[in-house]
Amino acid sequence: MYAQGKALCGVAALKQQSEEYRGKIFQKAEASDPAANFPYELGWIVVQKELRGHRLSGRLVDTALKMIEKAGSYATVRLDNEPMRRTLIRYGFRPEGTHFRSTRGPYDLALYVKDGEFPPSYLSPEFKVRGQFHGSPARFSSFSSHGLRSLGFHFGDIAQALDFAKESGFVYKADLT
């Protein structure tokens, strides 16, 4: 919670969701990193409308993260909430996986994770690349090389891919070894 004088300006919460809940979020996002690496969820970050644009969300995020010291955490954010996406990146979060549809409304969410201080566990010892992303102006039910001249655009990280998806197309994740 952040306040100026007696006025409440914003709130944030740290949650310890069940393994099942975390697993569903990471599965929807097609995340490469296992949900078990991120025991805390940062969420419910809200700043009063008239106070937005003054980096108050950063104070909320910073305060919340101090409470969990160096443990891994994650957050979901609306795909169109560019200010919060920038705040999360500023505080050490990175995009993970691909965007997915919210169950609470007609909007897409993106998963962001902040690594804890522990050796990360990957899906398999051969897994070396966290993710490569491919974008296309057309939606494919599956990829096929038959008659293919070009698939579209390649992105090195999910932030670039999500920006592309907002404007003109779809993003597909391809894990490369």
Side-chain angles (χ1 to χ4, degrees):
M1 181 169 66
Y2 180 76
Q4 289 179 329
K6 293 183 178 183
L8 178 65
C9 301
V11 296
L14 277 172
K15 304 175 269 185
Q16 284 187 285
Q17 303 287 14
S18 70
E19 286 182 38
E20 180 182 356
Y21 175 85
R22 283 184 289 141
K24 286 180 183 177
I25 295 295
F26 278 65
Q27 183 179 22
K28 286 179 186 178
E30 299 178 14
S32 299
D33 287 324
N37 289 351
F38 309 96
Y40 295 96
E41 180 183 14
L42 176 66
W44 297 333
I45 302 167
V46 180
V47 174
Q48 285 192 24
K49 286 184 182 180
E50 62 272 10
L51 298 173
R52 291 179 186 168
H54 299 286
R55 294 190 176 227
L56 296 179
S57 63
R59 292 183 188 183
L60 294 166
V61 169
D62 185 53
T63 301
L65 292 176
K66 285 179 181 174
M67 297 173 70
I68 58 172
E69 297 180 4
K70 299 181 192 274
S73 56
Y74 72 98
T76 58
V77 61
R78 286 184 186 214
L79 193 58
D80 63 354
N81 189 343
E82 196 64 39
M84 182 51 64
R85 289 171 56 196
R86 284 193 305 267
T87 297
L88 291 173
I89 290 170
R90 193 168 46 250
Y91 285 89
F93 285 80
R94 62 180 166 77
E96 174 60 29
T98 188
H99 64 278
F100 59 96
R101 198 66 164 172
S102 172
T103 58
R104 296 184 179 206
Y107 52 86
D108 286 346
L109 296 172
L111 174 65
Y112 282 73
V113 297
K114 181 174 173 55
D115 293 312
E117 288 195 5
F118 56 85
S121 65
Y122 297 108
L123 297 176
S124 71
E126 298 81 33
F127 188 77
K128 304 287 186 212
V129 178
R130 288 189 184 269
Q132 296 293 317
F133 299 89
H134 185 274
S136 172
R139 185 170 186 83
F140 299 94
S141 58
S142 65
F143 285 115
S144 168
S145 61
H146 180 69
L148 191 62
R149 286 186 233 169
S150 172
L151 282 174
F153 312 94
H154 295 274
F155 305 99
D157 66 55
I158 189 63
Q160 294 170 340
L162 292 175
D163 286 342
F164 169 81
K166 273 194 320 191
E167 297 297 322
S168 59
F170 297 91
V171 175
Y172 300 91
K173 181 176 177 185
D175 285 332
L176 307 174
T177 57

